[in-house]
Amino acid sequence: MMQFLLFVPLTFVIAPVFAVERSSGMDNLILSSRNGRQKIVTAKLLSVLATSTVVVALYLAATFLFGFLPHRSFHGWDAAIQSVPTYARSMFPWKVWQLAIAGAAWLIFTGAFYSLIICLISSRMKSQMGTVGVSLAILFVNVGLAAMGDTVTQRLGALVDFGLANVTLIKEVFGSYKVFNVFGMRVTYPAMAVFVLGIFSALAVLGIYQGQRSRTIG
């Protein structure tokens, strides 16, 4: 739930990146400046990824700080993750501190993916609040699908496995023994998730560039 709540403020921070300029008509002028469409859109995307990383890093720092203060001890950080009930079936031979690092990197990665989806929506909307509404609706739908019973989630399969609700949860990605059969090869859940989210990220970036190209003045 806390990781889900992280994406809510992230939505409000990133939603204006394209929508505000489009609502005022300024994007036609900006995108036709001497800097060119490609440079401006690239700069926006890089700033979005940097913002996403900072927001997630602040969340991780706060989570660590307030999780550490009640105990004020690193005792158990060198234990195997299988000693933690949630990760008893994990296939990864990691220590707790290694899982913490991998989890932080994973949350930054999935936060960047969600940010690109928001950017794609923002580039197609004429309203900042409309972008926020659509982005949050996608988030809520993903959470709703993951919260359904086992019978439903098993039928939905990959839609749930690679939905934002599951793919952002460290315990789902690294806490179970889950592999996918891809053309006869056994691929772990994290590797498959990187591939799937990478494909969708590339499509989102391509959609943003194509959408902004149509907004420029010939």
Side-chain angles (χ1 to χ4, degrees):
M1 180 58 70
M2 290 303 294
Q3 289 174 242
F4 163 70
L5 291 177
L6 163 67
F7 284 170
V8 175
L10 195 60
T11 302
F12 284 91
V13 170
I14 296 175
V17 67
F18 290 107
V20 168
E21 292 172 359
R22 188 170 186 185
S23 64
S24 64
M26 285 297 293
D27 60 335
N28 281 324
L29 180 61
I30 294 173
L31 293 173
S32 300
S33 67
R34 65 178 184 177
N35 289 321
R37 171 190 57 83
Q38 186 171 354
K39 287 184 178 179
I40 292 174
V41 176
T42 300
K44 282 179 175 288
L45 291 177
L46 291 176
S47 67
V48 163
L49 293 177
T51 300
S52 170
T53 301
V54 170
V55 170
V56 175
L58 290 174
Y59 163 83
L60 291 169
T63 301
F64 170 77
L65 180 63
F66 290 107
F68 170 76
L69 286 178
H71 307 284
R72 297 182 182 179
S73 172
F74 290 103
H75 179 70
W77 275 56
D78 58 346
I81 61 175
Q82 284 76 13
S83 62
V84 181
T86 305
Y87 298 92
R89 297 182 62 249
S90 176
M91 68 177 75
F92 299 97
W94 292 344
K95 304 293 185 181
V96 171
W97 66 268
Q98 292 173 315
L99 175 64
I101 294 174
W106 188 259
L107 196 57
I108 290 173
F109 169 68
T110 52
F113 166 73
Y114 180 58
S115 298
L116 290 177
I117 297 301
I118 299 172
C119 280
L120 177 61
I121 297 169
S122 180
S123 69
R124 303 288 177 166
M125 301 289 289
K126 293 185 177 181
S127 165
Q128 176 182 343
M129 292 311 299
T131 301
V132 170
V134 173
S135 300
L136 291 181
I138 292 174
L139 195 58
F140 289 138
V141 167
N142 275 268
V143 172
L145 290 175
M148 292 182 178
D150 291 340
T151 303
V152 177
T153 55
Q154 287 174 5
R155 289 180 179 178
L156 294 175
L159 188 61
V160 174
D161 287 333
F162 301 107
L164 286 170
N166 274 6
V167 82
T168 58
L169 292 179
I170 310 305
K171 68 176 184 178
E172 292 289 338
V173 179
F174 299 106
S176 62
Y177 191 89
K178 185 182 293 186
V179 294
F180 297 85
N181 191 327
V182 181
F183 302 114
M185 297 184 297
R186 293 169 65 83
V187 183
T188 62
Y189 188 7
M192 194 66 187
V194 168
F195 176 76
V196 172
L197 297 188
I199 292 294
F200 279 106
S201 296
L203 291 175
V205 170
L206 180 62
I208 292 168
Y209 277 109
Q210 289 295 108
Q212 295 303 295
R213 176 180 298 174
S214 64
R215 298 288 297 170
T216 56
I217 299 175

